[in-house]
Amino acid sequence: NNYYEKINEKDLVNSAINGMMESLEDPYSMYFDEIESENFSITLDGSYQGIGIQIIKDENTGNILVTGILKDSPASKAGLKAGDYIISVDNFMSADYTTSEFSSLIKESNKESFKLKILRDNEEIYITLKRDLITLDSVTSNIYNKNNKKIGYIYIGIFASNTYYQFKDLLVQLEND
């Protein structure tokens, strides 16, 4: 309480818990902070409310950089592309947010749609996106032709609550091909 500088108590507690977990020297014991826990829950649920982008914070510009677009998402339908910089959302500058704060701004907003100012190839573009239910694909499939035989391949990336249904649908598709 009497430390001479301001400290973020949440960061202090998270660092202390992480230190305790590391001292166990057990690669299977880990601590999730609030944001990591939320992201893990989203992955296990298999869906979330959002716009369907993967992002990082660009260290050079401070802006949010789009690194991936989820298929059939509002972002893909609106033409957002990997490599686009998000300059602002509804006049809130993205440089003022961490990636977690930016994600929370989109996911937890009372608004259904957002106006994004994008920088693509030194050109400013305005895109309006509507938040929607994003379903994460935990199962993928492919057909390989080897020696005139078709081989169906199904890959499960993670076991989420929707994995059974995705697996079942892809299995039926493979059996019909």
Side-chain angles (χ1 to χ4, degrees):
N1 287 338
N2 296 322
Y3 192 69
Y4 73 99
E5 289 183 349
K6 283 188 175 185
I7 57 171
N8 183 322
E9 289 185 25
K10 191 175 185 180
D11 289 344
L12 190 63
V13 169
N14 283 336
S15 296
I17 294 172
N18 276 321
M20 288 187 279
M21 298 306 291
E22 286 178 21
S23 73
L24 296 175
E25 296 180 2
D26 178 4
Y28 303 106
S29 295
M30 61 184 67
Y31 168 69
F32 287 163
D33 65 21
E34 184 179 340
I35 293 166
E36 292 167 327
S37 177
E38 180 184 331
N39 289 337
F40 186 68
S41 292
I42 287 170
T43 302
L44 290 180
D45 288 341
S47 63
Y48 68 96
Q49 286 289 325
I51 58 175
I53 59 175
Q54 297 167 328
I55 58 172
I56 62 170
K57 183 86 166 183
D58 183 88
E59 293 179 16
N60 296 325
T61 65
N63 290 313
I64 300 293
L65 173 64
V66 178
T67 58
I69 307 289
L70 300 179
K71 72 175 186 175
D72 299 325
S73 67
S76 70
K77 293 173 186 172
L80 205 60
K81 296 181 180 181
D84 287 347
Y85 286 93
I86 300 175
I87 305 303
S88 66
V89 177
D90 293 335
N91 298 319
F92 293 103
M93 301 305 290
S94 73
D96 295 338
Y97 294 91
T98 65
T99 54
S100 299
E101 292 168 339
F102 180 84
S103 295
S104 294
L105 177 70
I106 300 294
K107 290 177 192 172
E108 297 170 8
S109 173
N110 293 331
K111 297 180 71 175
E112 287 295 317
S113 63
F114 304 90
K115 186 174 182 181
L116 276 61
K117 181 179 179 182
I118 305 297
L119 184 64
R120 179 185 299 157
D121 298 326
N122 294 322
E123 180 183 346
E124 289 183 357
I125 302 168
Y126 293 89
I127 297 176
T128 300
L129 296 175
K130 185 175 183 180
R131 186 176 57 207
D132 201 358
L133 181 67
I134 306 297
T135 301
L136 303 173
D137 290 332
S138 60
V139 183
T140 58
S141 69
N142 204 350
I143 294 178
Y144 297 98
N145 289 310
K146 185 156 180 133
N147 300 328
N148 295 326
K149 292 183 181 180
K150 287 185 176 181
I151 299 171
Y153 174 81
I154 296 177
Y155 174 77
I156 299 174
I158 188 168
F159 288 97
S161 64
N162 60 0
T163 301
Y164 166 77
Y165 302 105
Q166 290 180 13
F167 182 91
K168 184 178 173 186
D169 290 345
L170 289 176
L171 180 60
V172 168
Q173 285 177 18
L174 285 175
E175 289 176 336
N176 290 333
D177 283 344

